Amino acid sequence: KAGVTQTPRYLIKTRGQQVTLSCSPISGHRSVSWYQQTPGQGLQFLFEYFSETQRNKGNFPGRFSGRQFSNSRSEMNVSTLELGDSALYLCASSLRGSGPTIYNEQFFGPGTRLTVL
Amino acid sequence: GQQVMQIPQYQHVQEGEDFTTYCNSSTTLSNIQWYKQRPGGHPVFLIQLVKSGEVKKQKRLTFQFGEAKKNSSLHITATQTTDVGTYFCAGPQVSSSNTGKLIFGQGTTLQVKP
């Protein structure tokens, strides 16, 4: 099976602009989670989508949004970019367990490196 | 909110030495996962522990889940240069709606001197 793919791999934007990142999960995986990774903050959970519904959300401002399509592909959008948004944005897909006690392993994509100037 | 803390943040070892990273949660975890991220790469799933006191081995790697299910450790015996990377633990935070999200520790970055 093909792995998780993310596009674009690298992006340079200026403050105030907006950006859309794309993630294609492993075939058959219905859950897609997004993470922001920075040297100072580590891996921070952004949100999770399952069957086109946002199931969980991290502590990020409303400028960060996402959606999932019927084919499980997901996009995340960041509006009004700030310098602090520079980070590696990772998408991860999983099969998703039937209950909260078992959280299926996450399969991460290569990430999108976003630089905000 | 729930926190997952890892120590140490960095570890430099000589090739052949052992290495251990510790993970502590502020709340009881239903399970814990470990991931490895090579420099320039993305996190890759290593293992999941579910039972209290569980110990699992993968070649030179030994993973333990504490009896109280609030801490975990990863021990690498006789490190090799291929072990270089950042090791993350992650535990689920369950919301009132009974859905979960993974909370990652800050990671321990391992450097191995040949």
Side-chain angles (χ1 to χ4, degrees), chain A residues 8-89:
Chain A
R9 294 292 311 279
Y10 302 91
L11 207 49
I12 299 176
K13 292 285 187 179
T14 56
R15 279 181 298 174
Q17 288 186 307
Q18 75 164 18
V19 66
T20 299
L21 311 181
S22 180
C23 170
S24 292
I26 290 173
S27 177
H29 285 192
R30 296 167 65 188
S31 168
V32 173
S33 297
W34 288 88
Y35 297 87
Q36 181 195 66
Q37 187 173 33
T38 58
Q41 297 296 318
L43 270 164
Q44 300 286 313
F45 174 83
L46 279 156
F47 25 66
E48 182 209 2
Y49 286 88
F50 184 80
S51 293
E52 301 178 66
T53 302
Q54 188 182 87
R55 300 190 79 188
N56 290 289
K57 194 176 190 304
N59 298 322
F60 279 82
R63 300 185 296 107
F64 292 81
S65 62
R67 58 178 176 169
Q68 187 180 34
F69 302 96
S70 58
N71 62 358
S72 293
R73 189 177 71 85
S74 178
E75 289 181 347
M76 70 162 278
N77 183 276
V78 188
S79 62
T80 320
L81 284 166
E82 300 177 359
L83 295 178
D85 297 333
S86 295
L88 179 66
Y89 289 89

Side-chain angles (χ1 to χ4, degrees), chain A residues 35 37 40-45 48 55-59 88 90 96 99-106 108-111, chain B residues 9 30-31 33 35 37 40-45 48 50 88 92-95 97-106:
Chain A
Y35 297 87
Q37 187 173 33
Q41 297 296 318
L43 270 164
Q44 300 286 313
F45 174 83
E48 182 209 2
R55 300 190 79 188
N56 290 289
K57 194 176 190 304
N59 298 322
L88 179 66
L90 291 160
R96 195 71 169 115
T101 56
I102 297 295
Y103 204 102
N104 289 132
E105 64 179 278
Q106 303 281 290
F108 283 86
Chain B
Q9 190 175 359
S30 60
N31 65 83
Q33 298 181 4
Y35 292 80
Q37 185 173 21
H42 56 274
V44 174
F45 176 83
Q48 178 169 270
V50 179
F88 294 95
Q93 179 183 65
V94 181
S95 69
S97 61
N98 242 11
T99 58
K101 60 185 179 184
L102 269 182
I103 306 299
F104 280 79
Q106 291 290 83

Side-chain angles (χ1 to χ4, degrees), chain B residues 1 8-9 21 26 32 36 38 47 57 59 73 77 79 91 93-94 103 109 112:
Chain B
Q9 190 175 359
T21 173
S26 57
I32 194 158
K36 176 184 179 181
R38 294 182 186 273
I47 208 160
K57 292 191 175 186
K59 296 182 181 178
S73 65
T77 304
T79 55
Q93 179 183 65
V94 181
I103 306 299
T109 298
V112 180

